[in-house]
Amino acid sequence: MYCQGVDVYGPFWDHMLGYWKESLKRPNNVLFLKYEDMKKDGVYHLKTLAKFLDCPFIEEDERNGVIEDIAKLCSFQTMKKLEINKTGTFVLNMESKNLFRKAEVGDWVNYLTPMMEQRMSKVIEEKLGSSGLTFKGTPELADHVQQN
């Protein structure tokens, strides 16, 4: 179902590509962030987000470590420890705790078989290949998209 774009929130591939294209057309109105990039440099992306929202951090914030504190509060490790994310259910009775795995870029290799990876690579090529949208944290998938 995922490869077909079927998701509880609607057609995943169409949504992602739509937002990507709008971010290119209207960069002052649509900010497109990638998990892999945010994971690599959260502070930089917090600054980018604040500036995009027309609420940039001031020098005093930077000197006092405010941005780093926000990054820590919003980190996967902090979010995973919150009681609300350990109990209860989410959409379609999915347990909330299942929304949090390791937060490791490329961890998909621990969940997808080679056959599943091939199928995903094909779907990514079909859906995103000519868009310029690439992903760095998934070597095989990223390489596949970037080749096309």
Side-chain angles (χ1 to χ4, degrees), residues 17-77:
L17 194 54
Y19 282 108
W20 169 251
K21 288 178 178 178
E22 282 301 309
S23 75
L24 297 175
K25 285 183 200 171
R26 301 181 312 134
N28 294 330
N29 298 96
V30 180
L31 178 63
F32 193 95
L33 300 173
K34 299 179 200 174
Y35 175 78
E36 294 83 359
D37 296 337
M38 291 188 296
K39 179 87 172 159
K40 183 176 180 180
D41 192 349
V43 170
Y44 171 81
H45 285 87
L46 278 172
K47 289 179 186 180
T48 300
L49 177 60
K51 186 176 178 183
F52 177 78
L53 295 172
D54 202 24
C55 297
F57 292 102
I58 59 175
E59 287 183 33
E60 184 179 344
D61 293 336
E62 292 197 44
R63 278 194 310 274
N64 292 332
V66 171
I67 305 167
E68 288 82 2
D69 289 345
I70 293 170
K72 186 175 181 181
L73 284 170
C74 297
S75 73
F76 176 83
Q77 291 75 19

Side-chain angles (χ1 to χ4, degrees), residues 2 30 33 40 73 79-81 86 92 125 128:
Y2 187 79
V30 180
L33 300 173
K40 183 176 180 180
L73 284 170
M79 299 295 283
K80 186 174 183 175
K81 291 177 187 174
K86 293 180 183 178
L92 300 176
E125 178 183 338
L128 309 177

Side-chain angles (χ1 to χ4, degrees), residues 36-141:
E36 294 83 359
D37 296 337
M38 291 188 296
K39 179 87 172 159
K40 183 176 180 180
D41 192 349
V43 170
Y44 171 81
H45 285 87
L46 278 172
K47 289 179 186 180
T48 300
L49 177 60
K51 186 176 178 183
F52 177 78
L53 295 172
D54 202 24
C55 297
F57 292 102
I58 59 175
E59 287 183 33
E60 184 179 344
D61 293 336
E62 292 197 44
R63 278 194 310 274
N64 292 332
V66 171
I67 305 167
E68 288 82 2
D69 289 345
I70 293 170
K72 186 175 181 181
L73 284 170
C74 297
S75 73
F76 176 83
Q77 291 75 19
T78 300
M79 299 295 283
K80 186 174 183 175
K81 291 177 187 174
L82 296 176
E83 190 61 33
I84 189 115
N85 294 325
K86 293 180 183 178
T87 60
T89 58
F90 193 61
V91 177
L92 300 176
N93 289 323
M94 175 193 282
E95 290 184 61
S96 296
K97 66 182 181 183
N98 292 329
L99 296 173
F100 296 87
R101 293 192 316 248
K102 295 180 191 173
E104 296 292 328
V105 173
D107 187 46
W108 62 270
V109 299
N110 296 310
Y111 298 89
L112 300 182
T113 65
M115 183 182 288
M116 293 165 87
E117 186 272 328
Q118 288 175 349
R119 186 168 178 203
M120 283 294 294
S121 292
K122 183 178 179 185
V123 169
I124 288 173
E125 178 183 338
E126 290 170 2
K127 299 292 184 179
L128 309 177
S130 63
S131 70
L133 178 58
T134 60
F135 299 94
K136 298 173 188 167
T138 53
E140 289 80 359
L141 295 176

